Amino acid sequence: MNNRRKIAAGNWKMHKTLLEGQGLAHEIRTMAETELMNNAEIIIFPPFIHLVTLKKQLEGSPIQIGAQNMNQHEQGAYTGEISAAMLSSIGMNYVLIGHSERRQYYNETNDSCASKINVALAKGLQVVYCIGETLEERNDTKHFTVIENQLEALKGLSSSEMKSVVLAYEPVWAIGTGVTASAEQANEMHQHIRNVVSTLFNNEVAEGVSILYGGSVKPDNAKGLFGMSDIDGALIGGAALSSRDFIDIAKSF
Ligand code: 13P
């Protein structure tokens, strides 16, 4: 057993009105406080406009909270955007960066992700950096190279900054499709990621960084995934919208 942090993170994406979100957060809190006996960390990533309310609601609970995105600029004339400093100022613990939906629909690149990561860390946020290949890239056996390029966004960080970074491997073909990478397939990539991190930094950083798997994680496949040597948790989409499923996944470590 290693001593990396074990994490169950729920990405709510563009789901839940404020009232629905408050209800879900309440259920998650109650279940986590009464049922969760392992030392798994629980993080939720609700939509921006719910963050202040839910942060207050979850005060004194073991649930941590983060934003699903942020802008790479420190401040300025960027209508509709949210900065790292704003997220810090409302007590956010985490920010998701580089989710495949942001890369796919909002043209996020490894370069813009690199800028975001640097600004986020400078403002005291912890980063969950998402990487993952498309089906086409896997079929062309480019998946390892794609991941290596995405990890280049970490270049230039210090080893101590890497303590505030969590990686999430989310193969695009497994997101919201019901198709999960097999535990072995996922672990193979997690080991590759750790090797790349070791090359970019050193072995200590590579062994210390938590790497989450994301893509159709459900209560019935979580145990198999978490049993693998290099899978330290999950970034959960659909199943995180059900308090029961989310907590059952968190109980699977
Ligand atoms: P699903 O769990 O719905 O496949 O989503 C995964 C994901 O994108 C989490 O960020």
Side-chain angles (χ1 to χ4, degrees):
M1 222 10 207
N2 57 66
N3 52 16
R4 291 190 286 269
R5 293 147 63 200
K6 306 293 173 221
I7 298 172
N11 176 8
W12 293 9
K13 306 192 180 183
M14 198 175 74
H15 292 286
K16 304 289 177 189
T17 62
L18 179 57
L19 206 59
E20 291 165 351
Q22 286 177 292
L24 178 57
H26 173 75
E27 290 169 14
I28 291 171
R29 177 183 191 156
T30 308
M31 288 181 190
E33 286 174 347
T34 56
E35 299 178 25
L36 202 60
M37 299 305 162
N38 59 28
N39 58 358
E41 278 181 45
I42 310 263
I43 315 169
I44 58 168
F45 292 93
F48 279 131
I49 57 165
H50 302 349
L51 293 176
V52 171
T53 309
L54 295 186
K55 169 77 189 173
K56 205 168 164 51
Q57 180 182 328
L58 292 170
E59 243 160 48
S61 85
I63 319 286
Q64 303 184 80
I65 181 164
Q68 297 173 16
N69 180 37
M70 51 164 262
N71 190 274
Q72 65 268 37
H73 300 287
E74 287 206 21
Q75 61 177 335
Y78 302 102
T79 301
E81 292 296 288
I82 304 286
S83 73
M86 293 173 193
L87 296 176
S88 278
S89 74
I90 59 164
M92 288 301 100
N93 310 111
Y94 284 92
V95 61
L96 276 187
I97 290 178
H99 192 279
S100 67
E101 287 148 19
R102 305 249 9 130
R103 293 178 189 263
Q104 189 180 352
Y105 305 129
Y106 303 100
N107 305 318
E108 292 205 5
T109 62
N110 294 331
D111 283 348
S112 64
C113 288
S115 307
K116 289 184 184 200
I117 292 168
N118 277 286
V119 176
L121 294 172
K123 298 297 173 195
L125 297 166
Q126 296 190 68
V127 166
V128 178
Y129 179 49
C130 306
I131 55 180
E133 82 284 358
T134 63
L135 185 57
E136 198 184 2
E137 289 162 343
R138 182 165 276 264
N139 288 342
D140 290 348
T141 56
K142 289 188 185 138
H143 46 299
F144 290 123
T145 320
V146 168
I147 295 297
E148 287 158 26
N149 292 338
Q150 291 172 336
L151 286 170
E152 292 270 309
L154 302 175
K155 240 176 153 171
L157 298 183
S158 67
S159 298
S160 97
E161 283 175 314
M162 278 301 289
K163 293 199 173 96
S164 299
V165 174
V166 170
L167 298 173
Y169 169 58
E170 300 203 302
V172 177
W173 46 273
I175 296 179
T177 57
V179 182
T180 329
S182 69
E184 290 73 21
Q185 252 174 339
N187 202 49
E188 178 191 37
M189 185 58 93
H190 283 221
Q191 286 173 333
H192 181 65
I193 293 167
R194 227 175 272 294
N195 286 335
V196 177
V197 172
S198 175
T199 311
L200 287 173
F201 299 92
N202 54 51
N203 197 46
E204 196 186 331
V205 171
E207 286 305 315
V209 69
S210 292
I211 309 178
L212 316 183
Y213 168 78
S216 299
V217 177
K218 307 281 179 241
D220 61 4
N221 58 25
K223 232 182 177 56
L225 289 161
F226 296 166
M228 304 305 287
S229 62
D230 288 88
I231 301 183
D232 307 308
L235 181 55
I236 306 145
L241 300 175
S242 149
S243 52
R244 183 70 275 151
D245 286 355
F246 185 51
I247 294 297
D248 282 350
I249 292 169
K251 287 159 82 172
S252 303
F253 286 103

